[in-house]
Coordinates of all heavy atoms in Angstrom, one line a residue:
M1 N -0.1 -15.6 -2.8 CA 0.4 -15.0 -1.6 C 0.9 -13.6 -1.9 O 1.2 -13.2 -3.0 CB 1.6 -15.9 -1.1 CG 1.2 -17.3 -0.7 SD 0.0 -17.3 0.6 CE 1.0 -17.4 2.1
I2 N 0.9 -12.9 -0.8 CA 1.3 -11.4 -0.9 C 2.6 -11.3 -0.2 O 2.7 -11.6 1.0 CB 0.2 -10.6 -0.2 CG1 -1.1 -10.8 -1.0 CG2 0.6 -9.1 -0.2 CD1 -2.3 -10.2 -0.2
K3 N 3.6 -10.8 -0.9 CA 4.9 -10.6 -0.3 C 5.0 -9.3 0.4 O 4.6 -8.2 -0.2 CB 6.0 -10.7 -1.4 CG 7.4 -10.9 -0.8 CD 8.5 -10.8 -1.8 CE 9.0 -9.4 -1.9 NZ 10.2 -9.2 -2.7
V4 N 5.6 -9.3 1.6 CA 5.8 -8.0 2.3 C 7.2 -8.0 2.8 O 7.7 -9.0 3.3 CB 4.8 -7.9 3.6 CG1 5.1 -6.6 4.3 CG2 3.4 -8.0 3.1
T5 N 7.9 -6.9 2.7 CA 9.3 -6.7 3.2 C 9.3 -5.8 4.4 O 8.8 -4.7 4.3 CB 10.2 -6.2 2.1 OG1 10.1 -7.1 0.9 CG2 11.6 -6.1 2.5
F6 N 9.8 -6.3 5.5 CA 10.0 -5.5 6.7 C 11.5 -5.1 6.7 O 12.4 -6.0 6.8 CB 9.7 -6.3 7.9 CG 8.2 -6.5 8.1 CD1 7.6 -7.7 7.6 CD2 7.4 -5.6 8.8 CE1 6.2 -7.9 7.8 CE2 6.1 -5.8 8.9 CZ 5.5 -6.9 8.5
R7 N 11.8 -3.8 6.8 CA 13.2 -3.4 6.9 C 13.5 -2.9 8.3 O 12.6 -2.3 8.9 CB 13.5 -2.3 5.9 CG 13.8 -2.8 4.5 CD 14.7 -1.8 3.7 NE 14.0 -0.5 3.7 CZ 13.4 0.0 2.5 NH1 13.5 -0.7 1.4 NH2 12.8 1.1 2.6
S8 N 14.7 -3.0 8.7 CA 15.1 -2.4 10.0 C 15.2 -0.9 9.7 O 15.3 -0.4 8.6 CB 16.4 -3.0 10.5 OG 17.4 -2.7 9.5
S9 N 15.2 -0.1 10.8 CA 15.1 1.3 10.7 C 16.3 1.9 9.9 O 16.2 2.9 9.2 CB 15.1 2.0 12.1 OG 16.2 1.5 12.9
D10 N 17.5 1.2 10.1 CA 18.7 1.7 9.4 C 18.8 1.1 8.0 O 19.8 1.4 7.3 CB 19.9 1.5 10.2 CG 20.1 0.0 10.6 OD1 19.3 -0.8 10.1 OD2 21.0 -0.4 11.3
G11 N 17.9 0.3 7.6 CA 17.9 -0.3 6.3 C 18.9 -1.4 6.2 O 19.1 -2.0 5.1
A12 N 19.6 -1.8 7.3 CA 20.7 -2.8 7.2 C 20.1 -4.2 7.0 O 20.8 -5.0 6.3 CB 21.5 -2.7 8.5
T13 N 19.0 -4.5 7.5 CA 18.4 -5.8 7.3 C 17.0 -5.7 6.8 O 16.3 -4.7 7.0 CB 18.4 -6.6 8.6 OG1 17.6 -5.9 9.6 CG2 19.8 -6.8 9.2
A14 N 16.7 -6.7 6.0 CA 15.3 -6.8 5.5 C 14.9 -8.2 5.5 O 15.7 -9.1 5.2 CB 15.3 -6.2 4.0
S15 N 13.6 -8.4 5.8 CA 13.1 -9.8 5.7 C 11.8 -9.8 4.9 O 11.0 -9.0 5.1 CB 12.9 -10.4 7.1 OG 12.1 -9.6 7.9
D16 N 11.8 -10.8 4.0 CA 10.6 -10.9 3.2 C 9.7 -12.0 3.8 O 10.2 -13.1 4.2 CB 11.0 -11.4 1.8 CG 11.8 -10.4 1.0 OD1 11.7 -9.2 1.4 OD2 12.6 -10.8 0.1
V17 N 8.5 -11.7 4.0 CA 7.5 -12.6 4.5 C 6.3 -12.7 3.6 O 6.2 -11.8 2.7 CB 7.1 -12.2 5.9 CG1 8.3 -12.0 6.8 CG2 6.2 -11.0 5.9
E18 N 5.5 -13.7 3.7 CA 4.4 -13.9 2.8 C 3.1 -13.9 3.7 O 3.1 -14.6 4.7 CB 4.5 -15.1 2.0 CG 5.5 -14.9 0.9 CD 5.5 -16.1 -0.1 OE1 5.1 -17.2 0.2 OE2 5.8 -15.8 -1.3
G19 N 2.1 -13.2 3.2 CA 0.8 -13.3 3.9 C -0.3 -13.6 2.8 O 0.0 -13.7 1.6
A20 N -1.5 -13.7 3.3 CA -2.6 -14.0 2.5 C -3.6 -12.8 2.5 O -3.5 -12.0 3.5 CB -3.3 -15.2 3.0
P21 N -4.4 -12.6 1.5 CA -5.4 -11.5 1.6 C -6.2 -11.6 2.9 O -6.6 -12.6 3.3 CB -6.3 -11.8 0.4 CG -5.5 -12.6 -0.6 CD -4.6 -13.5 0.3
G22 N -6.3 -10.4 3.5 CA -7.1 -10.3 4.7 C -6.2 -10.4 6.0 O -6.6 -10.1 7.1
D23 N -4.9 -10.8 5.8 CA -4.0 -10.8 6.9 C -3.8 -9.4 7.4 O -3.7 -8.5 6.6 CB -2.7 -11.5 6.5 CG -2.7 -13.0 6.5 OD1 -3.8 -13.6 6.9 OD2 -1.7 -13.6 6.2
N24 N -3.6 -9.3 8.7 CA -3.3 -8.0 9.2 C -1.8 -7.8 9.3 O -1.0 -8.6 9.7 CB -3.9 -7.9 10.6 CG -3.7 -6.5 11.3 OD1 -2.7 -6.4 12.1 ND2 -4.5 -5.5 11.0
L25 N -1.4 -6.6 8.9 CA 0.1 -6.3 8.8 C 0.8 -6.4 10.1 O 1.9 -7.0 10.2 CB 0.3 -4.9 8.1 CG 1.7 -4.5 7.8 CD1 2.4 -5.5 6.8 CD2 1.8 -3.1 7.3
L26 N 0.2 -5.9 11.2 CA 0.8 -6.0 12.5 C 1.0 -7.5 12.9 O 2.0 -7.9 13.3 CB -0.1 -5.3 13.5 CG 0.3 -5.5 15.0 CD1 1.7 -5.0 15.3 CD2 -0.8 -4.9 15.9
R27 N -0.1 -8.3 12.7 CA 0.0 -9.7 13.2 C 1.0 -10.5 12.3 O 1.7 -11.3 12.8 CB -1.4 -10.3 13.1 CG -2.3 -9.8 14.1 CD -3.6 -10.5 14.3 NE -4.5 -9.8 15.0 CZ -4.5 -9.6 16.4 NH1 -3.5 -10.2 17.0 NH2 -5.4 -8.9 17.0
L28 N 1.0 -10.1 11.0 CA 1.9 -10.8 10.1 C 3.4 -10.5 10.6 O 4.2 -11.4 10.7 CB 1.7 -10.3 8.7 CG 2.6 -11.0 7.6 CD1 2.2 -12.4 7.4 CD2 2.5 -10.2 6.3
G29 N 3.7 -9.2 10.9 CA 5.0 -8.9 11.3 C 5.4 -9.6 12.6 O 6.4 -10.1 12.8
Q30 N 4.4 -9.6 13.6 CA 4.7 -10.2 14.9 C 4.9 -11.7 14.7 O 5.8 -12.3 15.3 CB 3.5 -10.0 15.8 CG 3.4 -8.5 16.3 CD 2.2 -8.3 17.2 OE1 1.2 -9.0 17.0 NE2 2.3 -7.4 18.1
A31 N 4.2 -12.3 13.8 CA 4.3 -13.8 13.6 C 5.7 -14.1 13.1 O 6.2 -15.2 13.2 CB 3.2 -14.2 12.6
H32 N 6.3 -13.1 12.4 CA 7.7 -13.4 11.9 C 8.8 -12.7 12.7 O 9.9 -12.5 12.2 CB 7.7 -12.9 10.4 CG 6.9 -13.7 9.5 ND1 7.4 -14.9 8.9 CD2 5.6 -13.6 9.1 CE1 6.4 -15.5 8.2 NE2 5.3 -14.7 8.3
G33 N 8.4 -12.3 13.9 CA 9.5 -11.9 14.9 C 9.9 -10.4 14.7 O 10.9 -10.0 15.2
E34 N 9.1 -9.6 13.9 CA 9.4 -8.2 13.8 C 9.1 -7.5 15.1 O 8.1 -7.8 15.8 CB 8.6 -7.6 12.7 CG 8.9 -8.2 11.3 CD 10.3 -7.9 10.9 OE1 11.0 -7.0 11.3 OE2 10.9 -8.8 10.1
P35 N 10.0 -6.5 15.5 CA 9.8 -5.8 16.8 C 8.7 -4.8 16.8 O 8.9 -3.6 17.0 CB 11.2 -5.2 17.0 CG 11.7 -4.9 15.6 CD 11.1 -6.0 14.8
L36 N 7.5 -5.3 16.6 CA 6.3 -4.4 16.6 C 5.5 -4.8 17.9 O 5.1 -5.9 18.0 CB 5.4 -4.6 15.4 CG 6.0 -4.2 14.1 CD1 5.2 -4.8 12.9 CD2 6.0 -2.7 14.0
E37 N 5.4 -3.8 18.8 CA 4.7 -4.1 20.1 C 3.2 -4.3 19.9 O 2.7 -5.3 20.4 CB 5.0 -3.1 21.1 CG 6.4 -3.1 21.6 CD 6.6 -2.2 22.7 OE1 5.7 -2.1 23.6 OE2 7.7 -1.6 22.8
G38 N 2.6 -3.4 19.3 CA 1.1 -3.5 19.1 C 0.4 -3.7 20.5 O -0.5 -4.6 20.6
T39 N 0.7 -2.9 21.4 CA 0.3 -3.1 22.8 C -1.3 -3.1 22.9 O -1.8 -3.9 23.7 CB 0.8 -1.9 23.7 OG1 2.2 -1.8 23.4 CG2 0.6 -2.2 25.2
C40 N -1.9 -2.3 22.1 CA -3.4 -2.2 22.3 C -4.1 -3.2 21.4 O -5.4 -3.2 21.3 CB -3.9 -0.8 22.1 SG -4.0 -0.3 20.3
E41 N -3.4 -4.0 20.6 CA -4.0 -5.0 19.8 C -5.0 -4.5 18.8 O -6.1 -5.0 18.6 CB -4.6 -6.2 20.6 CG -3.5 -6.8 21.5 CD -4.0 -8.0 22.2 OE1 -5.2 -8.1 22.3 OE2 -3.1 -8.8 22.7
G42 N -4.6 -3.4 18.2 CA -5.4 -2.9 17.1 C -6.6 -1.9 17.4 O -7.4 -1.6 16.6
Q43 N -6.5 -1.5 18.7 CA -7.6 -0.6 19.1 C -7.3 0.9 18.9 O -8.0 1.8 19.3 CB -7.9 -0.8 20.6 CG -8.2 -2.2 21.0 CD -9.5 -2.7 20.3 OE1 -10.5 -2.0 20.3 NE2 -9.3 -3.8 19.6
M44 N -6.2 1.2 18.2 CA -5.8 2.5 17.9 C -5.6 3.3 19.2 O -6.0 4.5 19.2 CB -6.7 3.2 16.9 CG -6.3 2.9 15.5 SD -7.0 4.1 14.3 CE -8.7 3.4 14.2
A45 N -5.0 2.7 20.1 CA -4.8 3.5 21.4 C -3.3 3.5 21.9 O -3.1 3.8 23.0 CB -5.7 2.8 22.5
C46 N -2.4 3.0 21.0 CA -1.0 2.9 21.5 C 0.0 3.5 20.6 O 1.0 4.0 21.0 CB -0.7 1.5 21.9 SG -0.4 0.4 20.5
S47 N -0.1 3.3 19.3 CA 0.8 3.7 18.2 C 2.1 2.9 18.2 O 3.0 3.2 17.5 CB 1.1 5.2 18.2 OG 2.0 5.6 19.1
T48 N 2.2 1.8 19.1 CA 3.5 1.1 19.1 C 3.6 0.1 17.9 O 4.5 -0.7 17.8 CB 3.6 0.3 20.4 OG1 2.5 -0.6 20.5 CG2 3.7 1.2 21.6
C49 N 2.6 0.1 17.1 CA 2.6 -0.7 15.9 C 3.0 0.1 14.6 O 2.9 -0.4 13.5 CB 1.2 -1.4 15.6 SG 0.0 -0.1 15.3
H50 N 3.5 1.3 14.9 CA 3.8 2.2 13.8 C 4.9 1.7 12.9 O 5.9 1.2 13.4 CB 4.2 3.5 14.6 CG 5.0 4.5 13.8 ND1 6.0 5.2 14.3 CD2 4.9 4.9 12.5 CE1 6.5 6.0 13.4 NE2 5.8 5.8 12.3
V51 N 4.7 1.8 11.6 CA 5.7 1.5 10.6 C 5.8 2.7 9.6 O 4.9 3.5 9.5 CB 5.4 0.2 9.8 CG1 5.4 -1.0 10.7 CG2 4.1 0.3 9.1
I52 N 6.9 2.8 9.0 CA 7.1 3.8 7.9 C 7.0 3.1 6.6 O 7.8 2.2 6.3 CB 8.5 4.5 8.1 CG1 8.5 5.2 9.4 CG2 8.7 5.5 6.9 CD1 9.9 5.6 9.9
V53 N 6.0 3.5 5.8 CA 5.8 2.8 4.5 C 6.7 3.4 3.5 O 6.9 4.6 3.4 CB 4.3 3.0 4.2 CG1 4.0 2.3 2.8 CG2 3.4 2.5 5.3
D54 N 7.2 2.6 2.6 CA 8.0 3.1 1.5 C 7.1 4.1 0.7 O 6.0 3.8 0.4 CB 8.4 1.9 0.6 CG 9.9 1.6 0.8 OD1 10.3 1.7 2.0 OD2 10.6 1.2 -0.1
A55 N 7.8 5.1 0.2 CA 7.0 6.2 -0.5 C 6.2 5.6 -1.7 O 5.1 6.0 -1.9 CB 7.9 7.3 -0.9
D56 N 6.8 4.7 -2.4 CA 6.2 4.1 -3.5 C 4.9 3.4 -3.2 O 4.0 3.3 -4.0 CB 7.1 3.0 -4.2 CG 8.3 3.7 -4.9 OD1 8.3 4.9 -5.0 OD2 9.1 2.9 -5.4
W57 N 4.8 2.9 -2.0 CA 3.6 2.1 -1.6 C 2.6 2.9 -0.8 O 1.5 2.6 -0.7 CB 4.1 1.0 -0.7 CG 4.7 -0.1 -1.5 CD1 6.0 -0.4 -1.8 CD2 4.0 -1.1 -2.3 NE1 6.1 -1.4 -2.6 CE2 4.9 -1.9 -3.0 CE3 2.6 -1.3 -2.5 CZ2 4.5 -2.9 -3.9 CZ3 2.2 -2.3 -3.4 CH2 3.2 -3.1 -4.0
F58 N 3.0 4.0 -0.2 CA 2.2 4.8 0.6 C 0.9 5.2 0.0 O -0.2 5.0 0.5 CB 2.9 6.0 1.2 CG 2.1 6.8 2.2 CD1 1.9 6.3 3.4 CD2 1.5 8.0 1.8 CE1 1.2 7.0 4.4 CE2 0.8 8.7 2.7 CZ 0.6 8.3 4.0
D59 N 1.0 5.7 -1.3 CA -0.3 6.1 -2.0 C -1.2 5.0 -2.4 O -2.3 5.2 -2.8 CB 0.1 7.0 -3.2 CG 0.7 8.3 -2.8 OD1 0.5 8.7 -1.6 OD2 1.5 8.9 -3.6
R60 N -0.7 3.8 -2.3 CA -1.5 2.6 -2.8 C -2.3 2.0 -1.6 O -3.1 1.1 -1.8 CB -0.6 1.6 -3.4 CG 0.0 2.2 -4.7 CD 1.3 1.6 -5.1 NE 1.1 0.3 -5.8 CZ 2.0 -0.3 -6.5 NH1 3.2 0.2 -6.5 NH2 1.8 -1.5 -7.0
L61 N -2.0 2.5 -0.4 CA -2.7 2.0 0.7 C -4.1 2.7 0.9 O -4.1 3.9 0.5 CB -1.9 2.2 2.0 CG -0.6 1.4 2.1 CD1 0.1 1.9 3.4 CD2 -0.9 -0.1 2.2
P62 N -5.1 2.0 1.4 CA -6.3 2.8 1.7 C -6.0 3.9 2.7 O -5.1 3.7 3.6 CB -7.2 1.7 2.4 CG -6.6 0.4 2.0 CD -5.1 0.6 1.7
P63 N -6.5 5.1 2.5 CA -6.2 6.2 3.4 C -6.4 5.9 4.9 O -7.3 5.2 5.2 CB -7.0 7.4 2.9 CG -8.0 6.8 1.9 CD -7.6 5.4 1.6
A64 N -5.6 6.6 5.7 CA -5.8 6.5 7.2 C -7.1 7.2 7.6 O -7.4 8.2 7.1 CB -4.6 7.1 7.9
S65 N -7.7 6.6 8.6 CA -8.9 7.3 9.2 C -8.4 8.5 10.1 O -7.2 8.6 10.4 CB -9.6 6.3 10.1 OG -8.8 5.9 11.2
E66 N -9.3 9.3 10.5 CA -8.9 10.4 11.3 C -8.3 10.0 12.6 O -7.4 10.5 13.2 CB -10.2 11.3 11.6 CG -9.9 12.7 11.8 CD -11.2 13.5 11.7 OE1 -11.9 13.5 10.7 OE2 -11.5 14.2 12.7
E67 N -8.9 8.9 13.2 CA -8.4 8.4 14.5 C -6.9 7.9 14.3 O -6.1 8.1 15.2 CB -9.2 7.2 14.9 CG -10.6 7.5 15.4 CD -11.6 7.5 14.3 OE1 -11.2 7.6 13.1 OE2 -12.8 7.5 14.6
E68 N -6.7 7.3 13.1 CA -5.3 6.8 12.9 C -4.4 8.0 12.8 O -3.3 8.0 13.4 CB -5.3 5.9 11.7 CG -3.9 5.4 11.4 CD -3.7 4.5 10.2 OE1 -4.8 4.0 9.7 OE2 -2.6 4.2 9.8
E69 N -4.8 9.0 12.1 CA -3.9 10.2 11.9 C -3.6 10.8 13.3 O -2.5 11.2 13.6 CB -4.6 11.3 11.1 CG -4.9 10.9 9.6 CD -3.7 11.0 8.8 OE1 -2.6 11.2 9.3 OE2 -3.8 10.7 7.5
D70 N -4.6 10.8 14.2 CA -4.4 11.4 15.5 C -3.4 10.6 16.3 O -2.5 11.1 16.9 CB -5.7 11.4 16.3 CG -6.7 12.5 15.8 OD1 -6.2 13.3 15.0 OD2 -7.9 12.5 16.2
M71 N -3.4 9.3 16.2 CA -2.5 8.4 16.9 C -1.1 8.6 16.3 O -0.1 8.6 17.0 CB -2.9 7.0 16.8 CG -4.0 6.5 17.7 SD -3.8 7.1 19.4 CE -2.3 6.4 19.9
L72 N -1.0 8.8 14.9 CA 0.3 8.9 14.3 C 1.0 10.2 14.7 O 2.2 10.3 14.8 CB 0.1 8.9 12.8 CG -0.1 7.5 12.2 CD1 -0.5 7.5 10.8 CD2 1.2 6.6 12.4
D73 N 0.1 11.2 15.0 CA 0.7 12.5 15.5 C 1.5 12.3 16.8 O 2.4 13.0 17.1 CB -0.4 13.5 15.8 CG -0.9 14.1 14.5 OD1 -0.3 13.9 13.5 OD2 -2.0 14.7 14.6
L74 N 1.1 11.2 17.6 CA 1.8 11.0 18.8 C 2.9 9.9 18.7 O 3.6 9.7 19.7 CB 0.7 10.4 19.9 CG -0.5 11.3 20.1 CD1 -1.5 10.6 21.0 CD2 -0.1 12.6 20.7
A75 N 3.0 9.3 17.6 CA 3.9 8.2 17.4 C 5.4 8.7 17.4 O 5.7 9.7 16.8 CB 3.6 7.4 16.1
A76 N 6.2 8.0 18.1 CA 7.7 8.4 18.2 C 8.3 8.2 16.8 O 8.1 7.1 16.1 CB 8.4 7.5 19.2
G77 N 8.9 9.2 16.3 CA 9.6 9.1 15.0 C 8.7 9.0 13.8 O 9.1 8.5 12.7
A78 N 7.5 9.5 13.9 CA 6.6 9.5 12.8 C 7.1 10.3 11.6 O 7.7 11.4 11.8 CB 5.2 9.9 13.2
R79 N 6.8 9.8 10.4 CA 7.2 10.6 9.2 C 5.9 10.7 8.4 O 4.9 10.2 8.7 CB 8.2 9.8 8.4 CG 9.4 9.3 9.2 CD 10.7 9.7 8.6 NE 11.7 8.9 9.3 CZ 12.5 8.0 8.7 NH1 12.3 7.7 7.4 NH2 13.4 7.4 9.4
R80 N 6.1 11.4 7.2 CA 5.0 11.6 6.4 C 4.3 10.3 5.9 O 3.1 10.3 5.7 CB 5.4 12.5 5.1 CG 4.3 13.1 4.3 CD 4.9 13.7 3.1 NE 5.5 12.8 2.2 CZ 4.9 12.0 1.3 NH1 3.6 12.1 1.2 NH2 5.6 11.2 0.5
T81 N 5.1 9.3 5.7 CA 4.5 8.1 5.2 C 4.3 7.0 6.3 O 4.2 5.8 6.0 CB 5.4 7.4 4.1 OG1 6.7 7.1 4.7 CG2 5.6 8.4 2.9
S82 N 4.2 7.5 7.5 CA 3.9 6.6 8.7 C 2.5 6.1 8.6 O 1.6 6.8 8.2 CB 4.1 7.3 10.0 OG 5.5 7.6 10.2
R83 N 2.3 4.8 9.0 CA 1.0 4.2 9.2 C 1.0 3.3 10.5 O 2.1 2.9 10.9 CB 0.6 3.4 8.0 CG 0.3 4.2 6.8 CD -0.9 5.1 6.8 NE -2.1 4.4 7.2 CZ -3.0 4.0 6.2 NH1 -2.8 4.2 5.0 NH2 -4.1 3.4 6.6
L84 N -0.2 3.1 11.0 CA -0.3 2.1 12.0 C -0.5 0.7 11.4 O -1.5 0.5 10.7 CB -1.5 2.4 12.9 CG -1.4 3.7 13.7 CD1 -2.7 3.9 14.5 CD2 -0.2 3.8 14.6
S85 N 0.4 -0.2 11.6 CA 0.3 -1.5 10.9 C -0.9 -2.2 11.3 O -1.4 -3.1 10.5 CB 1.6 -2.3 11.2 OG 1.7 -2.6 12.6
C86 N -1.5 -2.0 12.5 CA -2.7 -2.7 12.9 C -3.9 -2.3 12.0 O -4.9 -3.0 12.1 CB -3.0 -2.5 14.4 SG -3.5 -0.8 14.8
Q87 N -3.8 -1.2 11.3 CA -4.9 -0.7 10.5 C -4.8 -1.1 9.1 O -5.6 -0.7 8.2 CB -5.0 0.8 10.6 CG -5.3 1.3 12.0 CD -6.5 0.7 12.6 OE1 -7.6 0.7 12.0 NE2 -6.4 0.0 13.8
I88 N -3.8 -1.9 8.7 CA -3.6 -2.3 7.3 C -3.8 -3.8 7.2 O -3.2 -4.6 7.8 CB -2.1 -1.9 6.9 CG1 -2.0 -0.4 7.0 CG2 -1.9 -2.5 5.5 CD1 -0.6 0.1 6.7
D89 N -4.8 -4.1 6.4 CA -5.1 -5.5 6.0 C -4.6 -5.8 4.6 O -4.8 -4.9 3.7 CB -6.6 -5.8 6.1 CG -7.1 -5.8 7.6 OD1 -6.2 -6.1 8.5 OD2 -8.2 -5.5 7.8
L90 N -4.0 -6.9 4.4 CA -3.4 -7.2 3.1 C -4.5 -7.4 2.1 O -5.5 -8.1 2.3 CB -2.5 -8.4 3.2 CG -1.2 -8.2 4.1 CD1 -0.4 -9.5 4.0 CD2 -0.5 -7.0 3.7
I91 N -4.2 -6.9 0.9 CA -5.0 -7.2 -0.3 C -4.1 -7.5 -1.4 O -2.9 -7.2 -1.3 CB -6.0 -6.0 -0.7 CG1 -5.1 -4.7 -0.8 CG2 -7.1 -5.8 0.3 CD1 -5.9 -3.5 -1.4
D92 N -4.6 -8.2 -2.5 CA -3.7 -8.6 -3.6 C -2.8 -7.5 -4.1 O -1.7 -7.7 -4.5 CB -4.5 -9.3 -4.7 CG -5.0 -10.7 -4.3 OD1 -4.2 -11.3 -3.5 OD2 -6.0 -11.1 -4.7
D93 N -3.4 -6.3 -4.2 CA -2.7 -5.2 -4.8 C -1.5 -4.8 -4.0 O -0.7 -4.0 -4.4 CB -3.6 -3.9 -4.8 CG -4.6 -4.1 -6.0 OD1 -4.5 -5.0 -6.8 OD2 -5.5 -3.2 -6.1
L94 N -1.4 -5.2 -2.8 CA -0.2 -4.9 -1.9 C 0.9 -5.8 -2.0 O 1.9 -5.8 -1.2 CB -0.7 -4.7 -0.4 CG -1.7 -3.6 -0.2 CD1 -2.1 -3.6 1.3 CD2 -1.1 -2.2 -0.6
D95 N 0.9 -6.7 -3.0 CA 2.0 -7.7 -3.2 C 3.3 -6.9 -3.4 O 3.3 -6.1 -4.4 CB 1.7 -8.6 -4.3 CG 2.7 -9.7 -4.5 OD1 3.3 -10.1 -3.5 OD2 2.9 -10.1 -5.6
G96 N 4.3 -7.1 -2.6 CA 5.5 -6.3 -2.7 C 5.7 -5.2 -1.7 O 6.7 -4.5 -1.7
L97 N 4.6 -5.0 -0.9 CA 4.6 -3.9 0.1 C 5.9 -3.9 0.9 O 6.4 -4.9 1.3 CB 3.4 -4.0 1.0 CG 3.3 -3.1 2.2 CD1 3.0 -1.6 1.7 CD2 2.2 -3.5 3.1
T98 N 6.5 -2.7 1.1 CA 7.8 -2.6 1.9 C 7.6 -1.5 2.9 O 7.2 -0.4 2.7 CB 8.9 -2.2 0.9 OG1 9.0 -3.2 -0.1 CG2 10.2 -2.2 1.7
V99 N 7.9 -1.9 4.2 CA 7.8 -1.0 5.3 C 9.0 -1.1 6.2 O 9.7 -2.1 6.1 CB 6.5 -1.3 6.2 CG1 5.2 -1.2 5.4 CG2 6.6 -2.7 6.9
S100 N 9.3 0.0 6.9 CA 10.4 0.0 7.8 C 9.9 0.1 9.3 O 8.9 0.8 9.5 CB 11.3 1.2 7.5 OG 11.8 1.1 6.2
I101 N 10.7 -0.5 10.1 CA 10.3 -0.4 11.6 C 11.1 0.8 12.1 O 12.3 0.9 12.0 CB 10.9 -1.6 12.3 CG1 10.5 -2.9 11.6 CG2 10.4 -1.6 13.8 CD1 9.1 -3.4 11.7
P102 N 10.3 1.8 12.7 CA 11.0 3.0 13.2 C 12.0 2.6 14.3 O 11.8 1.7 15.1 CB 9.9 3.8 13.8 CG 8.6 3.2 13.4 CD 8.9 1.8 13.0
A103 N 13.1 3.4 14.4 CA 14.2 3.1 15.4 C 13.6 3.2 16.8 O 13.9 2.4 17.7 CB 15.3 4.1 15.2
E104 N 12.7 4.1 17.0 CA 12.2 4.4 18.4 C 11.5 3.2 18.9 O 11.5 2.9 20.1 CB 11.3 5.6 18.4 CG 12.0 6.9 18.2 CD 12.4 7.2 16.8 OE1 12.1 6.4 15.9 OE2 13.1 8.2 16.5
S105 N 10.8 2.4 18.0 CA 10.0 1.3 18.5 C 11.0 0.2 19.0 O 10.7 -0.5 19.9 CB 9.0 0.8 17.5 OG 9.5 -0.2 16.8
R106 N 12.1 0.1 18.4 CA 13.1 -0.9 18.8 C 13.6 -0.5 20.2 O 13.7 -1.3 21.1 CB 14.3 -0.9 17.9 CG 13.9 -1.6 16.6 CD 15.0 -1.8 15.6 NE 14.6 -2.7 14.6 CZ 15.1 -3.8 14.3 NH1 16.2 -4.2 15.0 NH2 14.7 -4.6 13.4
N107 N 14.0 0.8 20.3 CA 14.6 1.2 21.6 C 13.7 1.0 22.8 O 14.1 0.7 23.9 CB 14.9 2.7 21.5 CG 16.0 2.9 20.4 OD1 16.7 2.0 20.0 ND2 16.2 4.2 20.0
M108 N 12.4 1.1 22.5 CA 11.4 1.0 23.6 C 11.5 -0.4 24.2 O 11.1 -0.6 25.4 CB 10.0 1.3 23.1 CG 9.7 2.7 23.1 SD 8.2 3.1 22.2 CE 7.0 2.2 23.2
Q109 N 11.9 -1.4 23.4 CA 11.9 -2.8 23.9 C 12.9 -2.9 25.1 O 12.7 -3.8 25.9 CB 12.4 -3.7 22.8 CG 11.4 -3.6 21.6 CD 11.0 -4.9 21.1 OE1 11.8 -5.8 20.9 NE2 9.7 -5.0 20.8
G110 N 13.9 -2.1 25.1 CA 14.9 -2.3 26.2 C 14.6 -1.5 27.4 O 15.3 -1.6 28.4
V111 N 13.5 -0.8 27.4 CA 13.2 0.1 28.6 C 12.4 -0.7 29.6 O 11.6 -1.5 29.3 CB 12.3 1.3 28.1 CG1 11.9 2.1 29.3 CG2 13.1 2.2 27.1
Ligands
LIG1 FE1 -2.1 -0.1 19.1 FE2 -2.0 -0.4 16.5 S1 -1.7 -1.9 18.0 S2 -2.5 1.4 17.6

């Protein structure tokens, strides 16, 4: 299994979940109740699945496509290590991956 840690934006809470190779990071997070909207269901048209990847892990992910980079430019609270979780599929090398949920994506839930 591949362990993934989802942290809250302020780092106050973290939950460890387990996925299998080929699992999609957005769907894995949603299945465990993480506040990732993923409105467009992986079509790279919404950026509400945005997560901030821990710096240690960012370079180990397959690079983002140009389309993903364009969407990240529009994502609320994007940082240098931001990625769209719908574009990340788990592989064995990602065991231990740690990502944070941006504060803005939480706030949107109450709107
Ligand atoms: Fe919409 Fe990822 S779910 S861009």
